[in-house]
Amino acid sequence: MDNAPVIMRLGGYGLRKLMPEDANARYLGWISDPEVNAFLTVGKFPCTLEDLSEYVSRFHGSISGAAFAIVNQEDRNKHIGNVTLNAINWISGTADIGLMIGSKKHARPACAHAVLSLIVPYAFDVLGLRRLYMGVLEGNIACLEGARRLQMKEEGRWREQSLVYGEYQDEIWFGVLKSDRDSLNFWRQP
């Protein structure tokens, strides 16, 4: 499905709709790789292609979530991860951002910043949301730096939230309001 139309682009990365065909062996490999999923909530229990297909299909037609494949434009739009908007609350205008960079080659702050720089304006301008938030474990350097480069606000910390490599790590919560837009590092190359 790497040939599906890319709908947003920045810094060599793009986003396209996550398709049922994306629930494949490559994606399953990311979920099953302890190095990829160490700082995520996924991959802690065995997952099959059927489980993965069910997960991807739950976003199609959903009013409470949206999922996009992250693609690398320099590699013919190869699928390298996903970004999701979860728990969309249309009344309050809020959503939780989920980010998984499955390709170890791209698991760096520049990719995370580019993806966040695409999904945040999409959520504000296309979906009409007004507030986004995301939790990031303190060891997830790519996502932490991506959020900080975008100048998302650190809003809180859940101490010793998750066990990673035998040690408990804090989860740092970031938030961004649509009204913060003028002060954020959107649309700049990462």
Side-chain angles (χ1 to χ4, degrees), residues 45-116:
F45 299 98
C47 180
T48 65
L49 278 175
E50 183 180 329
D51 298 331
L52 197 54
S53 293
E54 287 176 22
Y55 170 77
V56 170
S57 67
R58 83 170 212 222
F59 287 99
H60 291 273
S62 173
I63 61 169
S64 62
F68 297 91
I70 304 166
V71 297
N72 178 295
Q73 294 179 286
E74 296 164 3
D75 194 9
R76 297 186 333 256
N77 292 328
K78 185 175 181 180
H79 181 202
I80 62 166
N82 303 320
V83 62
T84 57
L85 295 171
N86 302 292
I88 297 175
N89 181 320
W90 296 104
I91 295 171
S92 297
T94 62
D96 175 37
I97 300 171
L99 177 59
M100 178 188 73
I101 303 170
S103 166
K104 294 175 192 176
K105 174 180 166 185
H106 297 282
R108 55 185 189 259
C111 179
H113 178 259
V115 171
L116 292 171

Side-chain angles (χ1 to χ4, degrees), residues 25-38:
R26 181 186 332 152
Y27 189 170
L28 187 62
W30 300 335
I31 298 294
S32 304
D33 186 331
E35 193 176 337
V36 170
N37 68 45

Side-chain angles (χ1 to χ4, degrees), residues 7-26:
I7 58 174
M8 298 174 263
R9 294 178 172 87
L10 179 67
Y13 299 100
L15 300 182
R16 65 165 172 76
K17 187 175 181 181
L18 187 66
M19 303 299 292
E21 297 83 7
D22 290 316
N24 56 31
R26 181 186 332 152

